[in-house]
Amino acid sequence: MDPVKWNKRASLVYAVGIWTMFGGYGYYRYMHKNDPPIQMPMEEEDNRPNVKKYETKHSKTTIVYKENFVPYSTRFLNLFRSTSESSPESPNHEEQK
C-alpha cells in the first residue's frame, strides 16, 4: 500500500465532506432567509400548588406534579422495607409478638 496515494484519497474524501457541509449551510441560509419570525403563544398564569416554573436565560421549564404521587424510588424502598420487616431474622419481629 502506497501512503502517498492513501493520503491523497483521504484528503479528497475530507474535502468533499467539508464542501458538502458548507454547501448545505449556504443552501439552508438562502432558502430560509425570508421566513417570518416564529410567534410564541402567550402563556396564562398557572397558580396551582402542584405546578413549578423555572425560567433561565435560555429556557422555560414547567413541571407539573401529580396529586398524591409517590416517587418510584420510595415505592421501591418500601417494597424492600416491608419484606425485611416481615422476615424472622429482623430484631423488631420478636418485639411485635
Side-chain angles (χ1 to χ4, degrees):
M1 177 163 52
D2 187 18
V4 175
K5 281 186 179 180
W6 190 89
N7 283 340
K8 285 182 182 180
R9 289 178 185 161
S11 297
L12 180 66
V13 169
Y14 181 76
V16 168
I18 291 295
W19 283 109
T20 302
M21 184 180 68
F22 286 149
Y25 177 73
Y27 178 75
Y28 175 79
R29 294 289 292 173
Y30 175 75
M31 293 301 291
H32 296 287
K33 69 179 178 182
N34 294 327
D35 287 349
I38 298 172
Q39 297 293 327
M40 297 298 289
M42 295 301 292
E43 294 182 16
E44 57 197 41
E45 284 295 321
D46 195 2
N47 293 327
R48 295 182 293 176
N50 58 341
V51 175
K52 302 287 183 195
K53 292 187 178 187
Y54 300 100
E55 189 170 338
T56 64
K57 183 178 178 182
H58 302 288
S59 67
K60 294 179 184 178
T61 304
T62 304
I63 300 174
V64 180
Y65 296 99
K66 294 180 184 177
E67 292 182 27
N68 300 323
F69 179 73
V70 179
Y72 294 111
S73 59
T74 306
R75 292 180 191 181
F76 188 70
L77 291 174
N78 286 341
L79 175 70
F80 284 107
R81 194 173 295 145
S82 66
T83 57
S84 66
E85 289 175 357
S86 65
S87 66
E89 295 88 30
S90 82
N92 295 334
H93 184 70
E94 294 176 7
E95 293 174 4
Q96 292 175 355
K97 287 184 179 179

